[in-house]
Each structure stands twice: as structure tokens, then as C-alpha cells.
Amino acid sequence: PYRTMDYSYEAAQIGVFDTLYHKGFIYRGLRPVHWSPSTRTALADAELEYNDNHVSKSVYVSFPVSDVGRSGSGEKLKAYLTHGRTLSSVIWTTTPWSLPANQAVCVHPDVQYSIVKKQPDEDVYYIVAKDLLGELRKKTGLTLDVVLDGLKGADLAGVVCSHPFLGRPSPILEGDHVTTSAGTGLVHTAPGHGQDDFAVGTKHNLSILSPVDDGGRFTAEAGERLAGKAVLADGNTEVIAMLNEAKALVFGEDITHRYPYDWRSKKPIIIRATKQWFVDLRPVQHHALKCLDDIQMVPPSGKARLGAMLVGRADWCISRQRVWGVPLPVFYDARGEPVVHSDISKHVQSLVEKHGSDCWWDMSVQDLLPPSFRNNGETYTKGTDTMDVWFDSGVSWKGVLLQRGIDIPADLYLEGSDQHRGWFQSSLLTAMGVESRVPFKSIVTHGFTLDESGQKMSKSLGNTISPSFIVRGGKDKRKDPPYGVDILRLVAASADYTKDISIGTNGFAKVHESIKKFRNTVRFALSNLYDFNPEVDMVRYEDMLEVDKFILHRLYNFVDDATHAYNNFNFSKVYRDLVSFASVELSSVYFDVIKHRLYVEAPANIRRRSSQTALHIIATALAKVIAPLAPHMAEDINNHIPFNLTLSAQQPQSSIFCAGWVKNPVQFNRPDLEAKWAVILEVRQAVNAALEIVRSKKAIGRSEEAHISIVIPGGNQSAHLGTLQSIGSELTDIFMVSSCDLRASTSSEGPSDIPLASHTTANFTVEVRLASKHKCPRCWRKNSERDDIPCSSCSSVIKT
């Protein structure tokens, strides 16, 4: 169930806020945040989408040098400020609207800068990074001849420029964030509109100016001409016009680039300094990063991704300006200062647990305040900020687990690959802050669904497929059959879910066909257990036939691999191995070998009971292995195992999910049989090839019409002859023929006539002849003395 709307969950969330606040993690401050003018709220990183086709106004702007100050290059620069010459720092920005908030220009201390002459016939000089001159010449068409080289950024620090149209000082400062990957190597710095800018501004005590309101319009602080204009629309255009009028626009163009958008409104955001509530992540960052080593990540790349996001995040803005959500339990006094107190939080928490978070909006201040804060001579107003949705979901370890008596860490957190920056991160950080431990043992992330052509599924494109359509089918059931829930689950399980996967009707049909074969395999096993009661008829492992022991060895390996794959959430391997084991190991080999004894031997014959014992173990194991992927099919198999010990008269509907995982006795693990049966199956494959030659000549129809001779060169007797001799009595079942003889090539014994066909390998030769006796009317093997009487073997069974 979806728990975050439960009153108890919301109350737990307020409790987590209170704990983090009083541990010193939460503070209120003026900082630049991602701001959505369209929804009028701050946004977290996880609430951003990126539009690769956003178009911005890109401008190169000159900031005139007004004073060389005490810079290391002061004397050199003075020459370009006399005799009518002008010298300017040239900055580049894709946010012209932020220029009214400019407080400085930043350079990198170690970057090489040059003074260049704008054009040969003008006494206008620019300061530009040396490495970016070529790109600037290409864009602007200006000659930009170098007149002074060898200036380092550190030499320029202390130079004072003037704002291009506001006239106020804009000093050149050092900043390690400056690069020469694009632009001019000089960065326009507005501490109210950028994170790096804010850091520089705080270090140098610059004004944190942000003349933009909640709706993304300039305030009066930006000046009368700009006030009221939208910064992402006409305000941006007006700033560029003002640059032109001030002759400060060196060059401008439209560029298409990646830009952050509000994930809800799908509209561009801005960076804007406002007073918000933040979680200081620095105290838990190191410990959180260290704990990632102990968390199982599927896929493993998730560890590096989550780690990189933890390293790159010092603060988390948790306040939102919305009319819905869980409120921050904060009041403000008459001076506008926040009042946060445990008594207040606990009182609000108790009210929320009883009435839900809406009580914050519905109740009066007096009702929301605890008795100790009522009538104390102070006037309070309740805050209107709500908590970030990632704080909502991030405290699920508290609201869903601890609150309900379930300890952490949880076994598994499962979500899409976009949640490293969202739920996974917020859960880890809040749990580390409050509990000093991780909230999860494992994280599994999945990709997203694409259509069969590889396109992202979208309602507007009309290429989505509803799960109910797959489960129930379309109107035309022949064209769009109902596949049921199991097939829907198996399609997901069959793919590499850690990546985006293509989904379509062809894929469902393919999986349905594979599972139909699997189902038929299980049906064969179940249909041959109709008279097998494991409490009475189970054969001890020591007394089982070797072929049955061999299939149990293969089953042991299959279950062991499946267990390991499940533990590592590798569902596609489990699916592939299930289909392969059923179709290859069982249907194509083992079932063919045991059919004769199942159908022909006496009911209680040890050979038949041995195979039934193996079938019972296999059917039970297959039901349990497929259960996590296809629960309905697993229950179906479980309910149709005759004399099933997991079902009883008292509990006729006992679920396979109550029966425990597969019992996989170590005695089933027989690597010695693997080598031996590799030889046997090699010979069986050659026998089948020889029989196919005879069938193609229409000399025989069924394999039971044939007699097989295996002739082995003397030099290979120990490797092949000895192996086949050890199971000589089983060879007719293994090869599905009426009779078989085995001999060395040097032997004079054996048939003397020319075989119908032969197949020679490096180790042996297979010869095919017609069986010499008559067809038994009961077992169909040619071992009868006459057509109308059973063979000696069948006669013994009948008498019994």
C-alpha cells in the first residue's frame, strides 16, 4: 500500500525534521536555489528535467576597466587606459537577465590571459584568455590582435571594472571554478544567481543581490526600466538592448543547449537566491560514502553514480513554496525570525497523527502551538513552507519500517535508474543523520520501457501498451490474446531490466511460446506421478538408477545457479536457465530416456519408482524456482503434484510460498557423473545422427525399429568402452532402440551384415541395422518372437 499519505507517516516525517534540526543539520539561510517561476517554488536537483533543445541568448559583454588598483599587472595595464584608449574585461553568459545582479568578474589564477586590440583602427582593448582567442575571433569576426601576452589570472586580481550599464564597481577576483572550455575565461559573477558565484561572493563579502520575484520578474531593485519584466522573456531582451545602448555588447547569438526545466510544469527554471530551509550534508557525507561499500548495488555502476551525487552535494534545500504537502513545523515571531522548538514539533506531530497534515492549514495558530507557547506575550504566525517531496519519500525508512516495528536496514529498495539523485539519496542521508546507519541492504534500479522500434513510450506518440491489455487481451482475442499476469511478469524477468527494454506484442508472443514448452515439460512430469506417493514410493538416493542420479546432479547445479541469480537479482538468468533446463536437459534427453520404463515397467518396479522419485523432486523444484517470476503457474504446479506433502486436508489451499525454498541436498552434487555422462551423451548424439540418416532413406520410421552397434577402437577402450559397459543394461533406453551391442573394433563378435548406415567420430563408430525380431504389441520394441505376443520383458510384467 501507498503509505506516505497515512497520518502516522506524516507525523513520523515531522519527527525526523525535528531530530535533524536539533542535531544541527537543518538551518535557514539565503542561498541560490533552483527556482521555478512557473510553479513559484524552489526545486531540488531531483525535481529537474533537462531539455537538450533549449534556446538561450548567448552574449559576450565588455566590462570597462576603471582602476588597475593593486593588481600585479597594474603598471602594464595603465598604458591601455590613457590617450583615449579603453580597456575592458570581456565576459560570456547565456543568462543576460542575471547581469543586473553582477557584483564581480572572476578569473582563474593559473590561466594565461592576453590583451588584444579589437580592430586595427580602434583604440579599444579587451582582456581575454589566451586559449580562447581563436574561438572568439571565429565567432565575432574581429581581428583581436595580441598586444600584451603572459598575464596570469593572479596578476589581474585587484583590477576594478565598471558594470556596463549600472556603473557600479565590479572587481576582478580569483575563482577556481573558472575554465577555458568555452567563453572568454572571464566569468560574470552574480552571487544571487549561481552556486559558484555565491561561494565567491561569500568569501569576498559581496552583496547577494537577486532582483527577481517569485514569478520570475524583475523587481524595482533592477531599475525602473526592467521592473516587472519576465527575466526569461522580455526582461532578457531588454537587458540586451541596454547592453547595445551602452556599446558593451561585443557579440550575441542564439545557442541550443541543455538546460534545466521544472519536472512538473515542463518550463525552464532560473537560479535565484531566496531564504530557504536547508539540510547541511557535510557531517554525514564521508560516513555515507563509506557505507556504500557494504550496500549491494544492482547494477554495480549504481555505486559510482550514487557516490558522485553524494560528493557533489553539500546542502539540500528541503523547503517548498506550495499549497500542498507536509508543512515545516516552523512559526515566525513578530520580527520575522523563525521559531523551531521540540515542544512545538511534538505538539504538531501529535495533531498530524490524529488529523493529518491538513490540520496545519485548517487550525488556528493558538491550536497549533503547545500550551507553553500560548499567551506568552509573543505574537506568532505559522510558516507556509512545505517539505520537499524527496524528504517525504526519504523518511520512508521511518514511516514505513521503524514506525511499524520493522527494523532497518530494509532488504531491498527498488526503483528506476533516476532515483540515485532522488529517493535512494534522500533515504540514505536522512537515515544517516537520524540513526547513523543505512536504511537498506540492497538497491536495485531498473530502466524504462520502449516500444519495439526502440522509441520511448509516450501517450502523444500513441505507442504505449497498457498492462491490462496484455493481461486481458484486446477486443479481437485471436489477434490480441489475453496472456495473463504471469506472462507480463516473465517478459519483464526475461529482459535485462537494468537497461531500457523494448516491449511489444512480438516479445509477449515469444515468451508465451517458451513458457508453453516449459509448462508441457512440467505436465509430463506431473502426469507420470499419478500413482506415486512419496511417503510410500520414494526410492532412497543410494538405490536410484544412475541416469536418475545424473539428472538430479544437473538439477542441483540448476537450483544452485538459480539461488545465486536470485540473490543477485539476476532474474533474466533464472528465466533463461528455467527454459533451457526444461527444454534441453529434461524434454530432449531425460524424458526420452525414461519414457519406456514409465510406460512399460510394472507400477512398483524399482526402475520406474526411481524415475518417479526424480520427477517428483524435479517438479517440486521447478515450481519453487519459477514462483517468484510466475506465481500463478507455480501455484498451479504445486496444486497438481499428486500426494503433495505441502498440501493437506486441513490446509487444502496451502501456498507454495509457505513451503520454503528448494531443498538441494549436497549428495545430489556428483561431478564424477558429469564427466562420465559427457561420454554417454556424446555417443547418444552420434546415435541420433546415424538414425536420422536411416530415417531419411525411409528404411525405418521409429527408432525402436533399429539395432545399434557401438564399435570402439582398441586404443580408446578405457575412455569409452568401459564407460558404456558400466551402464550396458540402460543403453537401449538411452538410445531409444530395441537392442544394442557394444564391442571393440578388434573383436570378432557382433553382426556380420552390412549396416544400413554408420556414423564415425574420432572415438567410435555407430552402426545402424534393422532389429531382427518382431514388434512387441505392448512396448513396441522389436524384441518379440512373433507379432502377436508380447516380448519376454512385457510378459514378465503382465504376469506380475
Side-chain angles (χ1 to χ4, degrees):
Y2 197 69
R3 295 280 180 189
T4 58
M5 298 297 286
D6 290 356
Y7 294 171
S8 59
Y9 186 106
E10 294 178 325
Q13 184 173 336
I14 288 174
V16 170
F17 174 90
D18 183 65
T19 302
L20 289 173
Y21 179 85
H22 287 97
K23 278 190 168 187
F25 287 101
I26 293 178
Y27 68 95
R28 187 174 185 246
L30 176 68
R31 295 181 66 93
V33 295
H34 298 298
W35 185 269
S36 172
S38 56
T39 55
R40 293 174 174 260
T41 184
L43 298 175
D45 290 345
E47 295 174 296
L48 303 179
E49 290 180 346
Y50 285 85
N51 182 348
D52 291 325
N53 298 309
H54 180 81
V55 178
S56 291
K57 297 289 183 184
S58 166
V59 294
Y60 292 78
V61 180
S62 62
F63 278 61
V65 172
S66 58
D67 186 0
V68 296
R70 296 182 180 179
S71 66
S73 58
E75 290 303 315
K76 295 177 181 178
L77 299 181
K78 282 180 181 178
Y80 302 98
L81 295 172
T82 59
H83 307 296
R85 296 171 180 167
T86 61
L87 177 64
S88 301
S89 298
V90 178
I91 65 91
W92 170 66
T93 181
T94 57
T95 57
W97 61 266
S98 64
L99 285 168
N102 174 272
Q103 300 294 315
V105 173
C106 280
V107 294
H108 194 285
D110 299 325
V111 168
Q112 295 287 327
Y113 292 86
S114 302
I115 295 179
V116 297
K117 192 172 186 180
K118 179 182 178 183
Q119 294 282 56
D121 57 348
E122 295 183 52
D123 279 335
V124 177
Y125 298 86
Y126 294 147
I127 303 172
V128 180
K130 182 178 180 180
D131 290 345
L132 292 166
L133 267 175
E135 184 63 25
L136 191 58
R137 289 187 183 112
K138 189 188 213 176
K139 275 187 177 294
T140 63
L142 301 175
T143 56
L144 303 178
D145 294 326
V146 177
V147 296
L148 181 63
D149 228 340
L151 296 173
K152 290 184 73 174
D155 299 327
L156 297 172
V159 171
V160 180
C161 300
S162 294
H163 191 285
F165 56 79
L166 294 176
R168 65 171 172 253
S170 186
I172 294 181
L173 305 172
E174 293 182 11
D176 290 335
H177 64 287
V178 178
T179 70
T180 55
S181 59
T184 65
L186 294 97
V187 176
H188 144 58
T189 302
H193 293 297
Q195 301 293 347
D196 292 326
D197 307 48
F198 180 81
V200 171
T202 302
K203 180 179 179 181
H204 294 279
N205 200 28
L206 301 177
S207 173
I208 312 300
L209 178 63
S210 181
V212 181
D213 66 16
D214 292 356
R217 296 182 177 276
F218 282 118
T219 65
E221 281 186 290
E224 186 178 346
R225 184 170 171 181
L226 294 173
K229 289 183 167 59
V231 298
L232 294 176
D234 54 343
N236 211 28
T237 305
E238 192 64 26
V239 169
I240 295 172
M242 294 168 76
L243 291 172
N244 256 321
E245 291 167 15
K247 299 190 178 352
L249 185 63
V250 178
F251 179 72
E253 63 176 345
D254 288 348
I255 64 165
T256 300
H257 65 136
R258 201 165 187 254
Y259 191 87
Y261 275 52
D262 183 332
W263 68 338
R264 286 189 176 85
S265 66
K266 312 299 182 186
K267 292 184 179 179
I269 62 103
I270 60 175
I271 294 178
R272 171 182 178 241
T274 62
K275 282 193 173 181
Q276 300 288 341
W277 290 89
F278 297 87
V279 178
D280 183 2
L281 303 176
R282 290 169 295 180
V284 297
Q285 263 180 333
H286 177 72
H287 192 193
L289 283 166
K290 193 174 179 183
C291 287
L292 292 184
D293 292 334
D294 300 322
I295 298 169
Q296 181 186 16
M297 296 277 191
V298 179
S301 58
K303 177 183 174 182
R305 189 172 180 187
L306 182 53
M309 290 178 177
L310 290 171
V311 168
R313 191 178 190 186
D315 297 277
W316 170 17
C317 177
I318 61 166
S319 52
R320 295 292 180 271
Q321 291 65 51
R322 296 195 177 105
V323 295
W324 52 267
V326 177
L328 275 74
V330 179
F331 290 86
Y332 294 86
D333 62 22
R335 298 178 302 279
E337 292 300 314
V339 179
V340 183
H341 195 279
S342 283
D343 288 351
I344 294 176
S345 296
K346 287 173 183 175
H347 182 66
V348 172
Q349 189 175 355
S350 67
L351 292 173
V352 168
E353 189 150 18
K354 185 176 181 181
H355 305 289
S357 60
D358 282 354
C359 70
W360 182 263
W361 318 109
D362 298 337
M363 290 183 175
S364 67
V365 170
Q366 281 294 99
D367 291 334
L368 291 168
L369 285 168
S372 58
F373 279 81
R374 297 173 191 167
N375 305 315
N376 62 358
E378 293 285 344
T379 301
Y380 301 103
T381 57
K382 57 186 173 184
T384 57
D385 289 338
T386 58
M387 295 191 211
D388 173 21
V389 292
W390 298 116
F391 197 92
D392 293 349
S393 62
V395 300
S396 51
W397 54 266
K398 177 72 172 179
V400 174
L401 299 179
L402 294 182
Q403 185 92 342
R404 298 163 63 215
I406 305 169
D407 200 12
I408 60 172
D411 291 322
L412 172 68
Y413 270 42
L414 168 66
E415 248 294 357
S417 54
D418 57 340
Q419 293 304 311
H420 293 101
R421 62 175 184 163
W423 184 42
F424 302 147
Q425 187 179 176
S426 64
S427 299
L428 178 61
L429 293 170
T430 53
M432 294 296 291
V434 174
E435 296 284 329
S436 299
R437 52 185 176 144
V438 298
F440 34 63
K441 296 176 185 176
S442 304
I443 290 177
V444 173
T445 58
H446 59 78
F448 299 92
T449 53
L450 312 174
D451 66 16
E452 285 185 309
S453 64
Q455 275 192 307
K456 183 179 178 181
M457 286 193 175
S458 166
K459 288 182 180 179
S460 60
L461 294 175
N463 63 345
T464 59
I465 299 178
S466 167
S468 62
F469 177 83
I470 298 300
V471 172
R472 298 186 178 93
K475 291 182 179 179
D476 185 344
K477 302 300 182 189
R478 286 179 298 180
K479 179 185 174 187
D480 301 307
Y483 287 113
V485 172
D486 279 354
I487 296 299
L488 181 63
R489 293 170 63 92
L490 286 164
V491 166
S494 68
D496 181 0
Y497 64 84
T498 64
K499 301 173 183 175
D500 293 347
I501 61 174
S502 294
I503 297 289
T505 53
N506 290 334
F508 284 99
K510 185 177 179 181
V511 169
H512 179 257
E513 193 59 34
S514 295
I515 290 304
K516 189 163 69 173
K517 293 176 182 177
F518 172 86
R519 188 181 183 89
N520 288 337
T521 298
V522 178
R523 284 178 65 186
F524 175 87
L526 297 178
S527 66
N528 282 285
L529 292 173
Y530 67 93
D531 64 340
F532 181 81
N533 184 344
E535 290 187 312
V536 177
D537 302 320
M538 187 80 76
V539 176
R540 292 190 316 153
Y541 178 80
E542 296 79 6
D543 298 329
M544 294 177 73
L545 270 64
E546 189 171 293
V547 66
D548 301 319
K549 290 180 179 179
F550 175 64
I551 198 61
L552 291 182
H553 164 69
R554 286 287 177 89
L555 178 71
Y556 177 91
N557 290 335
F558 162 71
V559 171
D560 192 53
D561 287 347
T563 304
H564 185 265
Y566 272 132
N567 287 339
N568 288 280
F569 307 100
N570 191 350
F571 306 119
S572 61
K573 175 170 174 52
V574 177
Y575 170 80
R576 290 194 306 271
D577 288 356
L578 269 167
V579 172
S580 175
F581 184 76
S583 62
V584 178
E585 305 282 358
L586 296 178
S587 293
S588 298
V589 179
Y590 181 65
F591 287 176
D592 280 350
V593 171
I594 66 172
K595 277 177 184 175
H596 184 80
R597 73 185 63 162
L598 289 173
Y599 298 162
V600 173
E601 297 290 357
N605 181 278
I606 183 69
R607 299 174 75 247
R608 184 169 181 271
R609 291 301 193 204
S610 174
S611 293
Q612 284 183 307
T613 298
L615 288 178
H616 187 274
I617 294 169
I618 290 166
T620 304
L622 290 179
K624 292 182 176 182
V625 172
I626 202 172
L629 306 184
H632 298 288
M633 182 185 293
E635 294 285 26
D636 199 21
I637 296 170
N638 189 54
N639 291 337
H640 285 84
I641 296 176
F643 303 98
N644 191 344
L645 298 182
T646 66
L647 304 178
S648 67
Q650 291 76 30
Q651 293 179 304
Q653 298 303 318
S654 295
S655 170
I656 192 168
F657 294 98
C658 298
W661 187 237
V662 187
K663 292 181 175 64
N664 206 24
V666 69
Q667 65 179 345
F668 289 178
N669 185 22
R670 293 284 302 276
D672 57 311
L673 293 181
E674 189 69 48
K676 179 178 180 179
W677 276 80
V679 172
I680 296 168
L681 294 177
E682 177 194 357
V683 176
R684 184 177 188 269
Q685 187 176 9
V687 168
N688 288 340
L691 288 170
E692 194 56 41
I693 294 172
V694 178
R695 281 197 194 95
S696 67
K697 296 178 179 178
K698 302 192 183 302
I700 64 170
R702 296 171 56 86
S703 60
E704 286 87 352
E705 297 173 28
H707 170 87
I708 294 294
S709 297
I710 310 295
V711 184
I712 300 176
N716 281 314
Q717 286 186 23
S718 59
H720 285 75
L721 186 60
T723 296
L724 295 174
Q725 284 175 336
S726 69
I727 56 160
S729 61
E730 303 295 319
L731 288 178
T732 52
D733 284 353
I734 292 169
F735 300 147
M736 298 175 65
V737 294
S738 289
S739 53
C740 176
D741 72 273
L742 184 66
R743 68 180 188 276
S745 59
T746 55
S747 172
S748 59
E749 297 178 5
S752 58
D753 58 321
I754 298 173
L756 296 173
S758 63
H759 181 86
T760 301
T761 72
N763 299 310
F764 55 85
T765 296
V766 175
E767 297 177 349
V768 182
R769 294 176 174 83
L770 286 176
S772 59
K773 294 188 177 182
H774 297 274
K775 180 180 177 181
C776 171
R778 183 171 181 271
C779 71
W780 292 13
R781 286 187 176 174
K782 286 197 167 186
N783 290 325
S784 295
E785 299 303 325
R786 299 202 320 257
D787 284 339
D788 58 343
I789 62 172
C791 65
S792 59
S793 175
C794 286
S795 295
S796 299
V797 172
I798 294 168
K799 288 177 184 178
T800 307

